[in-house]
Every structure is written in C-alpha cells, then in structure tokens.
Amino acid sequence: DTGVSQDPRHKITKRGQNVTFRCDPISEHNRLYWYRQTLGQGPEFLTYFQNEAQLEKSRLLSDRFSAERPKGSFSTLEIQRTEQGDSAMYLCASSFSGRDEQFFGPGTRLTVL
Amino acid sequence: GENVEQHPSTLSVQEGDSAVIKCTYSDSASNYFPWYKQELGKRPQLIIDIRSNVGEKKDQRIAVTLNKTAKHFSLHITETQPEDSAVYFCAASMKSNYQLIWGAGTKLIIKP
C-alpha cells in the first residue's frame, strides 16, 4: 500500500493517560501534516514538518501535545494527560516538496473517557 | 489569519441534477484551493483543486471556479449520481505556510 497509513485506527483511553499515534507518509513525500477533526467539522491544522524539521505549530497545539519526525520519515503525535476535549479524529497528511496536494491517511479516532 | 466559510451546510439534489457549493476566504495571500470529499468514517480525498493563477478547472463532471477579486470559489458537480453523496470540504492555503484552512463542510445528499 503506497498511501498514507496511521496507527492505531482507534484508541480509547481514560482521562489523564498519555497516548501516542503514528503516521507513515507516502514514501518520497518530505512534508507531513497533522490535523484534528471533530464530528461535523472540517479538519483543523495542528502542525507541519518538512523533513525532520517542525516548521509550523498551531495555537491549538497546547503544551500537552508534542509531535516528532526524527528521521524525516514517519511521525508521532503524543498527547499527555488526555482530557475529554481531546476526543477527535487525528488525521495525518503528506505532500511532496514543490507540490500543493496533500494526501490523507485514514486517521486515528481518539476517545477519552 | 485565514478564515474559510462554506455554504450551504446541507444540500439535497435530485439524481441527475447539478450541485453547487460555495466558499469564501479572507486572506488575499491564499493561492491554493482544494476540494475534498469525505465519506462517513473515511479519509478526506482530494477531488479537484485550483491555483490562484487560474479561473476555472474541470475534470469530467466536476469543475471549480475561482474569483480572486471577490475571494470566493465554487465546486460544481453535474449529472449527480448516488455515489456523489458525501461531505465536501473546501480549503485554502498559502505558499508561506502550506497549512490548509478548511470550511465547515457541506453534506450533499443525492435523492434517487
């Protein structure tokens, strides 16, 4: 499968726990994006990497959120001390440098109880 | 910052008729405008996009128009089919940051 993949697809956790999600972009895509989508809304930008460098962070990304892309390939998004308001679909997308088109993964649906 | 508004929130059309979804944006620096289709529980899929140096683009039954002066762009679907039923999102971005700013979505319902 040459598309963007995300793992896990679903995560249920209790409030206060830490969670980590993984995204594997399309190979050769050097840009990687994280978005959050709540029910009935459009995705909201969280952060963006070019290779291993994190170039943009949204104000939505509180101190409890951290994202990494250590080798410029896959990326992880960690949420510490989860809150019920963190419940959402977390989408990852990738694009090729010099091209605008972003291709999305299937998302990780997080439910915080 | 950029703000994208999308209308209508729900659109119901008879199979075979045309559907039009409209979006406006606020930042004149935006230069890339994609449209995504999202079926329930699935990933957003890019269906068509347009850049600010072009006024119109067409791909089979789907077309997008852009009016830079008025800062609005529209999605046109002709000869609608049941499989066109989904939520459609418009978005805008600029070269300086590549982040997509999304509209709230339009739920398109195709009535048989």
Side-chain angles (χ1 to χ4, degrees):
Chain A
D1 186 356
T2 57
V4 179
S5 61
Q6 292 186 245
D7 183 70
R9 297 290 307 278
H10 304 273
K11 179 71 178 179
I12 299 174
T13 191
K14 292 183 179 179
R15 190 174 50 188
Q17 297 295 303
N18 299 344
V19 294
T20 300
F21 311 141
R22 176 180 170 126
C23 171
D24 286 88
I26 294 171
S27 58
E28 298 130 19
H29 279 193
N30 60 346
R31 293 197 186 123
L32 187 148
Y33 313 79
W34 285 100
Y35 293 86
R36 181 174 67 188
Q37 185 177 28
T38 53
L39 204 60
Q41 300 296 317
E44 296 172 296
F45 171 80
L46 294 178
T47 190
Y48 141 65
F49 291 84
Q50 178 149 319
N51 300 313
E52 65 276 9
Q54 189 173 17
L55 298 186
E56 288 278 341
K57 287 175 65 172
S58 164
R59 288 189 298 270
L60 294 173
L61 218 62
S62 75
D63 291 345
R64 298 184 296 104
F65 288 69
S66 62
E68 295 183 343
R69 195 182 183 199
K71 297 181 181 178
S73 57
F74 73 92
S75 175
T76 57
L77 178 68
E78 181 183 17
I79 309 174
Q80 295 182 326
R81 305 181 302 282
T82 51
E83 302 173 356
Q84 287 187 325
D86 297 331
S87 295
M89 176 76 85
Y90 290 83
L91 292 163
C92 175
S94 69
S95 71
F96 189 70
S97 181
R99 301 292 299 270
D100 294 308
E101 300 90 341
Q102 296 182 23
F103 297 92
F104 282 79
T108 294
R109 180 165 295 284
L110 173 66
T111 302
V112 181
L113 302 176
Chain B
E2 175 65 282
N3 181 54
V4 177
E5 295 192 354
Q6 183 171 348
H7 300 280
S9 56
T10 305
L11 179 60
S12 183
V13 301
Q14 204 71 39
E15 182 179 350
D17 288 351
S18 296
V20 180
I21 302 170
K22 299 181 179 182
C23 288
T24 60
Y25 61 99
S26 60
D27 195 329
S28 55
S30 291
N31 60 359
Y32 175 64
F33 307 93
W35 286 88
Y36 284 83
K37 175 183 180 181
Q38 189 175 31
E39 297 176 52
L40 192 62
K42 297 196 174 178
R43 73 186 77 191
Q45 289 199 305
L46 180 67
I47 56 171
I48 196 167
D49 57 13
I50 193 167
R51 288 166 180 81
S52 58
N53 59 347
V54 175
E56 183 173 357
K57 183 177 178 180
K58 190 173 181 180
D59 183 5
Q60 299 183 338
R61 296 186 298 109
I62 295 173
V64 56
T65 58
L66 171 65
N67 183 327
K68 282 195 298 181
T69 303
K71 290 192 277 200
H72 66 70
F73 56 113
S74 301
L75 177 70
H76 305 252
I77 306 174
T78 58
E79 300 170 12
T80 52
Q81 300 169 4
E83 54 265 36
D84 295 330
S85 294
V87 178
Y88 290 80
F89 291 97
C90 62
S93 75
M94 56 189 83
K95 274 290 186 208
S96 59
N97 60 24
Y98 300 102
Q99 58 177 276
L100 290 175
I101 305 301
W102 297 67
T106 296
K107 183 176 183 180
L108 178 62
I109 300 166
I110 307 300
K111 296 181 291 185

